[in-house]
Amino acid sequence: MEQEKCMEMMALDSNNQEFDCPWFWDNLTCWQPARLGEVVEVNCPELFSQFMSEEDYELGKVSRNCTQFGWSEPFPHYLDACLYEEGNSTHPDMYYVSVKALYTVGYSTSLVSLTTAMVILCRFRKLHCTRNFIHMNLFVSFILRAISVFIKDGVLYAKEDSEHCFIHTLECRAVMIFFHYCVLSNYFWLFIEGLYLFTLLVETFFPEKRYFYWYIIIGWGTPTVCVTIWAVLRLHFDDIGCWDMNDHAAIWWVIKGPVLASIMVNFVLFIGIIIILVQKLQSPDIGGNESSIYLRLARSTLLLIPLFGIHYTVFAFSPENVSKRERLVFELGLGSFQGFVVAVLYCFLNGEVQSEIKRKWRSWTVNRYFAVDLKHRHPSLASSGVNGGTQLSILSKSSSQIRMSSLQAETPAT
């Protein structure tokens, strides 16, 4: 009945030029005509209620946007909005809310831990080296990625309705440009981490400082070029909504292509580094039995996986419409904790960092102890405004002079 009515309306309005998107029957639902930029929202077809029990079924909604290329794809997809998987009868909105809560916790945790790691690496001068400078740039890219996610959510999802998908403002588009730049920069700095470590293992003489400037250009400059090209193409050929929907596949590949390339190259570098580690661990110069060698190899492999972003290869080359929910949980939900894991492994659990923190703590404790002790034993020095460090230097000089005079007194005259 609905199909016949829709076909009848399509025939009657075939010559109507008032609307940019005419009546449309997609074999499931009849879509009313709309003007450019408008969003049409309909209830899920009753067909899906046949596959669900009455107590589990809850009426969902599907929407389409009228673009200059015609009707967009339904959002969310019929299967996501209307047909729930067995054992998961909750409404899709609750599913997305749960995923959002998961990655909000993940990015918040990463943001705090990465900021703390940055303060530690910046504070101690002995930790300033090319390797840690690269780590710091990676930490900054993770921080920017987390901030961009929070800003994007604040702008796009301020209202809990489907209109957020098609906001048409300069502010919204600027947020999407910033978001894509931060994500792309993060992937490139993951690639640079892999490239640096691989080069360090392969080359004997490695001019780190000279290469570091090229790393800066690649890590921050290349994403700038890619995002600029993408923004120009969107402005001229796909200037619809907030630029958060990627219906034009060719334009989307300007962002997706470099991301996939960095993931693929990093995976190759990861395999190459594992091969080099196996050869080095099997060298007769390295002691230990076979089990200890494999234990070291397993530890090195686990440490490299979050640093190289190897987990992204799981869904990197699969179609975006396949396993949407699993991809969403894996890449967005669990992936939000990657920054936290990297900060813990390469800063908080780093032996060099721990040694420097302990050394500074001991130095501060000793200075504080002597400063308090001098304050009680020599109140004249304490009241004169001389600080603890100066007092220690004065006492050390005095003690040296006393030792020299005593030695001269004990030395017989010649």
Side-chain angles (χ1 to χ4, degrees):
M1 179 68 70
E2 184 180 1
Q3 180 180 2
E4 295 177 356
K5 182 180 178 180
C6 189
M7 292 297 182
E8 182 180 351
M9 296 303 300
M10 290 171 60
L12 292 174
D13 287 358
S14 59
N15 297 324
N16 191 348
Q17 303 296 327
E18 180 182 356
F19 297 99
D20 299 283
C21 296
W23 288 86
F24 177 57
W25 171 256
D26 61 359
N27 294 323
L28 289 173
T29 305
C30 185
W31 297 87
Q32 299 179 0
R35 294 182 177 85
L36 186 65
E38 291 183 347
V39 180
V40 177
E41 186 178 69
V42 298
N43 294 326
C44 286
E46 295 181 1
L47 171 68
F48 290 97
S49 63
Q50 301 177 10
F51 302 95
M52 303 290 294
S53 59
E54 293 183 1
E55 59 272 13
D56 286 342
Y57 185 71
E58 185 177 352
L59 194 63
K61 293 183 180 297
V62 181
S63 61
R64 286 181 186 267
N65 181 32
C66 180
T67 71
Q68 63 184 19
F69 303 104
W71 287 107
S72 67
E73 292 296 320
F75 181 87
H77 196 272
Y78 282 113
L79 294 179
D80 294 329
C82 308
L83 187 62
Y84 317 136
E85 296 178 2
E86 186 177 356
N88 183 22
S89 60
T90 57
H91 195 271
D93 288 345
M94 292 303 299
Y95 175 81
Y96 293 121
V97 168
S98 301
V99 173
K100 184 180 178 182
L102 177 63
Y103 74 69
T104 299
V105 173
Y107 281 122
S108 300
T109 306
S110 297
L111 192 59
V112 173
S113 58
L114 289 165
T115 303
T116 307
M118 282 293 298
V119 172
I120 293 173
L121 294 180
C122 292
R123 175 66 180 81
F124 302 121
R125 295 181 62 86
K126 284 194 174 183
L127 299 177
H128 292 181
C129 61
T130 303
R131 182 186 70 257
N132 286 336
F133 285 151
I134 293 177
H135 287 342
M136 290 164 68
N137 278 275
L138 178 64
F139 292 171
V140 171
S141 70
F142 273 116
I143 291 172
L144 290 176
R145 182 170 183 171
I147 293 174
S148 67
V149 169
F150 293 143
I151 295 175
K152 179 175 71 70
D153 286 355
V155 173
L156 264 66
Y157 306 118
K159 298 179 179 179
E160 298 295 334
D161 53 32
S162 62
E163 295 293 330
H164 72 268
C165 303
F166 311 107
I167 301 174
H168 192 94
T169 62
L170 180 62
E171 176 191 13
C172 183
R173 294 174 179 180
V175 167
M176 291 307 302
I177 292 174
F178 176 68
F179 170 74
H180 286 307
Y181 173 77
C182 295
V183 172
L184 204 54
S185 298
N186 185 230
Y187 278 108
F188 269 89
W189 276 106
L190 289 171
F191 159 69
I192 289 171
E193 285 279 2
L195 181 63
Y196 171 77
L197 183 56
F198 182 80
T199 308
L200 204 63
L201 292 173
V202 172
E203 291 193 12
T204 306
F205 301 100
F206 180 40
E208 295 186 2
K209 291 185 178 179
R210 188 179 68 185
Y211 277 44
F212 181 70
Y213 297 110
W214 286 106
Y215 294 152
I216 293 292
I217 294 173
I218 295 173
W220 300 114
T222 307
T224 303
V225 175
C226 295
V227 172
T228 302
I229 295 173
W230 174 80
V232 172
L233 292 176
R234 286 297 302 249
L235 184 62
H236 287 84
F237 301 104
D238 194 16
D239 190 17
I240 299 297
C242 187
W243 295 3
D244 60 323
M245 306 293 289
N246 303 297
D247 296 328
H248 205 299
I251 298 177
W252 176 233
W253 270 96
V254 177
I255 300 293
K256 184 179 179 179
V259 169
L260 292 180
S262 66
I263 293 174
M264 182 176 63
V265 174
N266 245 19
F267 183 75
V268 174
L269 293 175
F270 174 76
I271 298 299
I273 291 173
I274 294 300
I275 293 174
I276 294 174
L277 289 177
V278 170
Q279 294 173 349
K280 289 183 178 293
L281 290 174
Q282 291 179 346
S283 173
D285 297 332
I286 300 179
N289 54 25
E290 186 176 354
S291 60
S292 65
I293 291 176
Y294 285 113
L295 185 62
R296 295 177 189 174
L297 179 61
R299 180 188 175 190
S300 301
T301 304
L302 292 175
L303 289 175
L304 291 176
I305 287 176
L307 186 65
F308 282 34
I310 301 302
H311 55 283
Y312 289 118
T313 58
V314 175
F315 292 102
F317 300 98
S318 62
E320 293 188 0
N321 58 348
V322 175
S323 303
K324 284 186 177 181
R325 294 195 170 193
E326 291 78 5
R327 180 196 294 269
L328 195 64
V329 172
F330 188 80
E331 294 186 355
L332 192 57
L334 300 181
S336 61
F337 290 91
Q338 183 185 3
F340 166 73
V341 174
V342 169
V344 170
L345 292 179
Y346 293 93
C347 183
F348 304 138
L349 297 182
N350 187 301
E352 183 182 6
V353 175
Q354 290 180 347
S355 299
E356 184 64 16
I357 293 176
K358 290 177 181 178
R359 189 184 70 83
K360 286 289 185 180
W361 175 258
R362 286 195 298 266
S363 176
W364 180 82
T365 305
V366 170
N367 288 336
R368 185 173 179 273
Y369 171 78
F370 280 110
V372 173
D373 187 62
L374 287 171
K375 183 176 180 181
H376 292 289
R377 294 190 181 186
H378 302 279
S380 60
L381 287 177
S383 61
S384 64
V386 184
N387 58 27
T390 307
Q391 295 173 18
L392 288 175
S393 63
I394 293 174
L395 287 178
S396 62
K397 289 180 181 178
S398 301
S399 61
S400 299
Q401 292 175 357
I402 293 171
R403 285 197 300 270
M404 291 297 295
S405 61
S406 62
L407 287 173
Q408 291 175 359
E410 293 175 1
T411 303
T414 55

